[in-house]
Amino acid sequence: MGHANSSTCIKVIAFGCANAITWAILLLVVSILGLLFGWGIPVLGVTASLFIGFNLGWLGIIIGLIWALVYGFIFGIIFASIYNAIASSCACASTED
């Protein structure tokens, strides 16, 4: 087993932060579309069942954004860690010492 090529590694914390921000922006956009046009209501219903305190009120949306940041960060660091583990064990990603 070789060492992972530095170009194949993901910075775990940075990826977690980027993923958290992406989840929060997505939830904000879908929530605003739901408020204004009634779009995505079934998706928001599922989200409300997962994110305690989330609803289509402004306070509920803020609570949902906090949940989205937390879940996004956690799943981002899990994904990046798994990716790095797989990339470092792959023969094509190894370098000669």
Side-chain angles (χ1 to χ4, degrees):
M1 230 190 309
H3 300 289
N5 185 343
S6 62
S7 66
T8 63
C9 290
I10 295 175
K11 293 182 179 180
V12 175
I13 300 299
F15 188 85
C17 290
N19 198 49
I21 292 167
T22 301
W23 279 35
I25 290 171
L26 178 63
L27 181 62
L28 180 62
V29 169
V30 173
S31 296
I32 290 171
L33 290 174
L35 277 173
L36 297 178
F37 305 109
W39 296 346
I41 298 299
V43 172
L44 294 171
V46 172
T47 304
S49 72
L50 297 171
F51 294 176
I52 298 169
F54 172 73
N55 58 50
L56 279 182
W58 290 110
L59 179 60
I61 291 172
I62 291 170
I63 292 170
L65 293 177
I66 293 168
W67 278 113
L69 288 169
V70 171
Y71 276 97
F73 182 75
I74 291 170
F75 285 113
I77 61 172
I78 290 170
F79 176 84
S81 298
I82 292 170
Y83 175 86
N84 286 340
I86 292 170
S88 68
S89 66
C90 181
C92 62
S94 64
T95 58
E96 298 293 324
D97 288 328

